[in-house]
Amino acid sequence: MSRQKPKLARIADSLGVSTATVSNALSGKGRVSPELAERIRATAAELGYVPSVAGRALRTGRSGVLGLVLADISNPLFPKLAQAIENSAAKAGYGILIADSHGDVAAQTQAIERLIERGVDGMIVVPRRGTWVTGASCPVAVIDSPSTPGNTVAADHWSGGQGLGVHLVSLGHAHVLLLGNNQSSNVQNDRLGGVKAGLGSARVETVWIEKLESTAGQGCSLGLEEAVARGVTAIAAVSDLVALRALTELQRAGIAVPEDVSVTGFDDLIWSSVVTPGLTTMRMDVATIADIAIAAVLEAINQPKSAEPRRGDGETVTASQPKVPMELVLRQSTGPARTSASHKDNKTENLTAGELIQ
Amino acid sequence: MSRQKPKLARIADSLGVSTATVSNALSGKGRVSPELAERIRATAAELGYVPSVAGRALRTGRSGVLGLVLADISNPLFPKLAQAIENSAAKAGYGILIADSHGDVAAQTQAIERLIERGVDGMIVVPRRGTWVTGASCPVAVIDSPSTPGNTVAADHWSGGQGLGVHLVSLGHAHVLLLGNNQSSNVQNDRLGGVKAGLGSARVETVWIEKLESTAGQGCSLGLEEAVARGVTAIAAVSDLVALRALTELQRAGIAVPEDVSVTGFDDLIWSSVVTPGLTTMRMDVATIADIAIAAVLEAINQPKSAEPRRGDGETVTASQPKVPMELVLRQSTGPARTSASHKDNKTENLTAGELIQ
DNA sequence: CGTTACCGGTTAAACGATTAATCACGGCAT
DNA sequence: ATGCCGTGATTAATCGTTTAACCGGTAACG
C-alpha cells in the first residue's frame, strides 16, 4: 500500500539505479549483474510493480492482445472455443479481444478493421462458410476445416465422420440418413463425406435442411418418420443441434431412440449429455486446436520481420499440425440396428429374409 | 497506399500546422477554426489516418477496453450475452476483452487481476452464484439478478417467472412441477419464486436437480413419469437446458408434450426453436441489458473523478433501470391442461369428481 | 485610453517503457 | 606506457497522443 501505482522510475530510484537497468533486469535482456537483478526483482515484487501495457505497447509496437473473430458468435460451439482460446492465450501472456461479425461478410471486414485499429498483434478467425479473410495487416490463423484453402488448424472432421460411420456399421446399420444444414460449408461436407466413407457399402440418403426449409418453410418437418418407414435405421447429423432436432422429432412421432433408430451428432455440445437418451457424438479437441492456433500466430508475430522488402504481414499463418483428431463419445442414442420385426409399428414387414437377419 | 501508417505529425506538416491543432480538430476539443478543422478532417481521411491506441492510452490513461468476466463461459447463454455486450461496447467505441473464471472463485479473482493488468477501463461481471467480486480498481457492472445486492442490471427474473405462471394457469394447469438446478442461485430462486407467485393457488412441487443428483447420481432420472402419474400437468424448468432435459425424458417415457404435460423453460436458447415441440420459454432482453450495463460503466469512467479524497474506484456501479422486463415466447410445448381422462395410460382415474372437472 | 477577453493557433511537457549508444574502469596484451 | 576489450551500468532518444500554458493581435468595454 505505497503511494500510487509504482512505475519503473520509482523502483529505480528506490534502489539508486537507472530505469534502464530495472527494465533490463525485469526483462532479462540487457546485461545486469545477477545479484543486482535479484534485488531489483525483489523490490519490484515488494512494491507490487505492474508494467504499464500502454507504455510498453507504445514503445514496442506490440499490444499483447490477439483478436478473436467469430463468424457467428451465437454459434453454440462458441463458448467452448472461446474458453479454449482465452486459456491458451492467457498461458502465453496474451489477452483476447472478441469481435463478432453477425455472419455477414461486410460486418466481418468491419470487425477485423476495428481489431486492427485496437492494435491487436494477430488474429484468430473462425470464418463462416464462404466468408473470406480480407488482408489484415497482421498474422492471422484460420480455424475452419483442413480442406479449406488457407486453413491453419482444425479438427479432422472427415476422419471424425469416418469414425462415426464405422461405429454405425459395427452396430449393423445398413441404411443411414445423413442430415446436413448447408451444402456449401466445408466443415459439413467434410463431416458427411467422412461418415459416408466410414459407412462403406451401406445405403445412404442425404437431406440438406436449409434447402428443404427454403421450400417447406422454416422449422418444417424433416420427414424422419417416413425415412424410418423406408427402412432407415440410423441418422447421422452434421452437428448436435441438428441431431437434437432429429431426436425430438423422432420421439414426438413415437419412434424410440435407439431401439427403432440410432442418432449421432457432432461437437458434444452442452446438451448432448443431458438429453434422454444421451447423444452419441464426435467431439473436437478444442483445447489442442486453440493451442496450435495460438502458437502459430505467436510464432509469426515473433518472426524477425522476414527481412523481406514487402511488409508481408497479413498472411494467414500455417501450423505444423493442421488437423487434430476427433474423439468418439458413446452415449445411449446409438444401438444395434433394429431388425424389421422389432420396429413396433410393422411398416417394414415386407422385407426379405436376408434383410431380416441383417 | 501512401508510405506507412500516417501519424498525427504527418498530417500536421502536410498542412503546415502543428500536431496539437490536428489533435484538437479531430477530437473537437480545443479551439480550431471550422474551415481548418474541415481541411484537417479531410486530409486525415484521405491519408487514412488511424489514431494509435497505444499513444492515446499512454497519455490519457484510458485504454478504451472493457473486460467481460464470465463465471462460466460454457454457459449456453454466453453467446447471446457476449454478442450483445460486444455490440453495445462497439457502438460506444470500446473493445471487449474476455476473461474466463472456470466457475471457481480463485480463478475469477485471477482473471480480474489479469484484466486490470491489461489496463481495462471498466468491467462487466456475470458472477456465478455465491461468487463475489473482489475490489477491482475500476468501475464494475454486475449482471446477475435484481435481488442480488450490488447488482447493476439484470432481467426481471421474478416477473418473468410470474408471467409463465399466469400463462400456465390460464391454460388450466393446477398442479405444477418446478425444476431448479441449485437452490443457492439468486437467479433460479427469483425465477421459480415468480412462477410460484404467478401460479396463485395451484398445487406446486419443486425438485432441485443438483440435490437430487448428489444422491441419485449424475444424469439420473428426474422422476417425471411418476410426477405425471401423480397428477402434474405442467413442468416449469428454471432454464431451457433443464426444460430440454425434461422434454426428452418425458418423450422417451412415451408421455406426449403438450397433450399430457406442458413444459416451459427460460432464456430462449438456440435449440428452443428447433426441438419438437418448440419450447415455450421466457426470453431475456440481452440487448437492453447490455446497453444499460455498458452505459453505467462508461458513466462511471467519465465521472469527473468524484472529487473525493479516497480513490473510490472499484465500486460496483448502479444503473437507472436495474430490472429489464422479460418476454414470453409461445411455442408448442405448452397447451391446455389435460383432464384426467385424456391421459393415455389412466393412472389417474382414481381422482375425485372435483379434480376431474378442474 | 487602459484594461480585459477572446480568437486561432503553437510550444512543450508529459505519459511509461524500451533500447541503441555511450561511458567508466580494471585487466591484458603489445 | 599505450591501446583494446569486456563488463556492468547509465544517458538519452523514441514511440504517438493529449493538453496545460502561452502568444500576438484585435475587438469590446468601462
Side-chain angles (χ1 to χ4, degrees):
Chain A
M1 197 173 294
S2 2
R3 296 259 222 304
Q4 300 280 5
K5 305 275 178 191
K7 43 185 204 173
L8 217 43
R10 186 179 324 280
I11 136 170
D13 56 38
S14 146
L15 283 175
V17 298
S18 74
T19 72
T21 305
V22 178
S23 175
N24 282 332
L26 293 180
S27 67
K29 290 206 165 178
R31 298 166 305 195
V32 184
S33 70
E35 63 273 22
L36 178 53
E38 187 45 49
R39 281 205 299 151
I40 289 180
R41 268 190 294 272
T43 53
E46 181 195 358
L47 296 200
Y49 169 70
V50 177
S52 148
V53 256
R56 172 178 296 160
L58 179 55
R59 176 63 225 245
T60 63
R62 307 268 190 75
S63 61
V65 173
L66 301 179
L68 174 59
V69 182
L70 280 304
D72 189 4
I73 213 176
S74 67
N75 184 307
L77 182 57
F78 173 57
K80 282 187 159 190
L81 198 58
Q83 187 169 37
I85 299 248
E86 198 268 338
N87 224 306
S88 305
K91 279 189 296 187
Y94 274 75
I96 292 293
L97 212 46
I98 60 174
D100 176 29
S101 58
H102 312 65
D104 105 72
V105 192
Q108 172 166 308
T109 315
Q110 239 178 347
I112 293 182
E113 201 61 38
R114 281 209 314 273
L115 287 180
I116 299 284
E117 291 180 11
R118 281 242 133 57
V120 297
D121 296 338
M123 304 182 7
I124 316 281
V125 180
V126 186
R128 199 178 177 74
R129 45 169 197 269
T131 295
W132 195 225
V133 183
T134 71
S137 55
C138 65
V140 175
V142 176
I143 301 181
D144 188 16
S145 175
S147 67
T148 303
N151 186 74
T152 301
V153 60
D156 191 345
H157 300 289
W158 196 92
S159 298
Q162 194 186 24
L164 278 176
V166 308
H167 168 59
L168 289 177
V169 165
S170 78
L171 288 172
H173 295 278
H175 188 171
V176 179
L177 176 65
L178 271 40
L179 279 180
N181 256 320
N182 189 297
Q183 206 159 356
S184 68
S185 155
N186 279 316
V187 171
Q188 296 186 29
N189 271 308
D190 287 357
R191 289 181 169 182
L192 294 191
V195 172
K196 220 173 287 187
L199 284 173
S201 59
R203 188 167 151 203
V204 168
E205 311 176 27
T206 305
V207 169
W208 294 100
I209 295 182
E210 286 194 7
K211 186 162 30 168
L212 181 63
E213 284 189 329
S214 71
T215 67
Q218 189 87 11
C220 64
S221 158
L222 301 179
L224 303 183
E225 191 171 5
E226 297 78 353
V228 171
R230 270 199 308 277
V232 164
T233 65
I235 298 177
V238 83
S239 83
D240 281 355
L241 189 57
V242 175
L244 179 62
R245 178 169 177 177
L247 174 66
T248 54
E249 179 170 326
L250 289 166
Q251 288 186 328
R252 171 76 184 164
I255 300 172
V257 177
E259 290 83 354
D260 293 335
V261 57
S262 290
V263 173
T264 69
F266 265 96
D267 290 342
D268 192 25
L269 297 184
I270 184 150
W271 62 78
S272 309
S273 58
V274 310
V275 295
T276 304
L279 210 50
T280 290
T281 189
M282 186 59 72
R283 173 198 293 157
M284 47 192 274
D285 185 355
V286 280
T288 303
I289 292 174
D291 280 345
I292 295 178
I294 296 283
V297 173
L298 293 192
E299 190 188 16
I301 289 175
N302 297 323
Q303 210 59 237
K305 202 52 129 189
S306 80
E308 285 301 304
R310 266 188 77 258
R311 289 280 274 111
D313 307 287
E315 284 307 302
T316 72
V317 303
T318 60
S320 50
Q321 185 198 354
K323 42 174 82 172
V324 177
M326 302 187 83
E327 183 191 355
L328 181 61
V329 180
L330 286 178
R331 294 208 182 89
Q332 298 82 43
S333 72
T334 50
R338 72 166 188 276
T339 60
S340 304
S342 71
H343 190 18
K344 58 183 174 188
D345 42 23
N346 297 347
K347 291 172 181 168
T348 55
E349 54 196 356
N350 49 354
L351 291 177
T352 71
E355 282 171 310
L356 273 170
I357 290 176
Q358 177 45 270
Chain B
M1 198 173 293
S2 5
R3 297 257 221 309
Q4 300 280 5
K5 305 273 175 192
K7 42 184 201 173
L8 262 190
R10 185 179 326 279
I11 131 171
D13 54 42
S14 147
L15 283 174
V17 298
S18 76
T19 71
T21 304
V22 178
S23 174
N24 283 332
L26 294 181
S27 67
K29 289 206 165 180
R31 297 164 308 192
V32 183
S33 68
E35 64 275 19
L36 177 52
E38 187 43 52
R39 278 203 301 150
I40 289 181
R41 270 191 293 271
T43 52
E46 181 195 359
L47 296 199
Y49 168 71
V50 177
S52 148
V53 252
R56 170 178 296 163
L58 179 57
R59 175 63 223 240
T60 63
R62 308 268 190 76
S63 60
V65 172
L66 300 178
L68 174 59
V69 182
L70 280 304
D72 190 4
I73 211 175
S74 67
N75 183 308
L77 183 57
F78 174 56
K80 281 187 160 190
L81 198 55
Q83 186 168 39
I85 298 251
E86 198 269 338
N87 224 305
S88 304
K91 278 188 297 187
Y94 274 75
I96 292 292
L97 211 46
I98 60 173
D100 176 30
S101 59
H102 313 65
D104 105 73
V105 191
Q108 172 167 308
T109 315
Q110 241 178 346
I112 293 182
E113 201 62 35
R114 280 209 313 274
L115 287 180
I116 299 285
E117 291 179 13
R118 282 241 134 59
V120 297
D121 296 338
M123 305 182 6
I124 314 280
V125 180
V126 185
R128 197 178 179 72
R129 47 168 194 270
T131 294
W132 196 224
V133 183
T134 73
S137 54
C138 64
V140 174
V142 176
I143 302 181
D144 187 17
S145 174
S147 68
T148 303
N151 185 75
T152 301
V153 59
D156 190 346
H157 300 290
W158 196 93
S159 298
Q162 194 186 24
L164 279 178
V166 309
H167 169 59
L168 289 177
V169 165
S170 78
L171 289 171
H173 294 277
H175 189 172
V176 179
L177 177 65
L178 270 42
L179 280 179
N181 257 319
N182 188 298
Q183 205 161 359
S184 69
S185 155
N186 278 318
V187 172
Q188 297 185 29
N189 271 308
D190 287 357
R191 288 181 171 184
L192 293 192
V195 173
K196 220 174 287 186
L199 284 173
S201 59
R203 189 165 151 203
V204 168
E205 308 175 29
T206 305
V207 170
W208 293 101
I209 295 181
E210 286 193 10
K211 188 162 33 167
L212 180 64
E213 285 189 330
S214 71
T215 69
Q218 189 86 11
C220 64
S221 157
L222 300 179
L224 303 182
E225 191 170 7
E226 297 80 352
V228 171
R230 270 201 306 279
V232 164
T233 65
I235 297 178
V238 83
S239 83
D240 281 355
L241 189 57
V242 175
L244 179 61
R245 179 168 175 178
L247 174 67
T248 55
E249 181 172 324
L250 289 166
Q251 288 186 326
R252 170 74 183 167
I255 301 172
V257 177
E259 290 83 355
D260 293 333
V261 57
S262 291
V263 174
T264 69
F266 264 97
D267 290 343
D268 192 24
L269 296 183
I270 185 153
W271 62 79
S272 309
S273 58
V274 309
V275 295
T276 305
L279 210 49
T280 291
T281 190
M282 186 59 71
R283 173 198 293 157
M284 47 193 271
D285 185 354
V286 280
T288 303
I289 293 174
D291 279 346
I292 295 178
I294 296 282
V297 173
L298 293 192
E299 190 189 13
I301 290 176
N302 296 325
Q303 210 57 237
K305 202 51 128 187
S306 78
E308 284 302 303
R310 267 188 76 259
R311 289 282 272 108
D313 306 289
E315 285 307 301
T316 70
V317 303
T318 60
S320 50
Q321 185 197 354
K323 40 175 84 173
V324 177
M326 302 186 82
E327 185 191 354
L328 180 62
V329 181
L330 286 178
R331 296 209 181 88
Q332 299 80 44
S333 72
T334 48
R338 73 167 187 278
T339 59
S340 306
S342 71
H343 189 17
K344 57 183 172 188
D345 41 23
N346 299 348
K347 290 170 184 172
T348 54
E349 54 197 355
N350 50 355
L351 292 176
T352 72
E355 283 172 309
L356 272 170
I357 290 174
Q358 177 47 268

